[in-house]
Amino acid sequence: MPITGFYAALFALMLIWLSFQVINQRRKNRVPVGDGGVQDLMRAQGAHTNFCQYVPFALLLMACAEAGDAWALAIHGLGAGMVVGRLCHAKGLLGEQKTFTMRITGMQLTFAVLGLGAALNLYLAALRLLAT
């Protein structure tokens, strides 16, 4: 599954970057465990946690679609949408100007990818069931 593998690699790099955001905030604020009530650390943890909650399921949907012979363009659309969504969400939480607009856009793209990925997999499953 080369397409899903490509996006999995991008997401791994993004996860490393988000992890370092948490580590940097912990060091800067001398908080070894928890959030210490530090807003910037809470934001970094939130971006990291949110990423970890949504990305694996999107990758699973992409992998299933790719294994089900979905169109390459559709899989790239899901992957690109998720990358942009996760970047927007992170920028909304971690950027210089923390904005709800970017965070909301990121979540909207994330939900769109999950919904479209689910619909694509249901469509592919229905095609296979009708063919038998």
Side-chain angles (χ1 to χ4, degrees), residues 1-8 59-69 75:
M1 288 184 266
I3 299 172
T4 301
F6 170 77
Y7 288 100
L59 282 170
L60 177 62
L61 289 169
M62 291 169 61
C64 289
E66 191 167 359
D69 294 327
I75 300 165

Side-chain angles (χ1 to χ4, degrees), residues 32-109:
V33 178
D35 60 37
V38 177
Q39 281 293 323
D40 286 341
L41 177 53
M42 285 188 249
R43 289 178 186 276
Q45 287 176 326
H48 180 270
T49 300
N50 194 273
F51 184 92
C52 291
Q53 291 169 332
Y54 288 104
V55 169
F57 211 84
L59 282 170
L60 177 62
L61 289 169
M62 291 169 61
C64 289
E66 191 167 359
D69 294 327
W71 314 276
L73 188 59
I75 300 165
H76 278 297
L78 294 174
M82 197 65 170
V83 167
V84 172
R86 297 292 77 208
L87 288 173
C88 286
H89 185 266
K91 183 174 172 59
L93 279 175
L94 304 173
E96 288 293 319
Q97 295 181 347
K98 294 148 184 80
T99 63
F100 280 113
T101 304
M102 291 297 285
R103 186 176 177 191
I104 291 167
T105 300
M107 288 311 302
Q108 288 172 333
L109 282 168

Side-chain angles (χ1 to χ4, degrees), residues 61-62 65 78 112-122:
L61 289 169
M62 291 169 61
L78 294 174
V113 166
L114 293 176
L116 291 169
L120 176 59
N121 277 285
L122 288 171

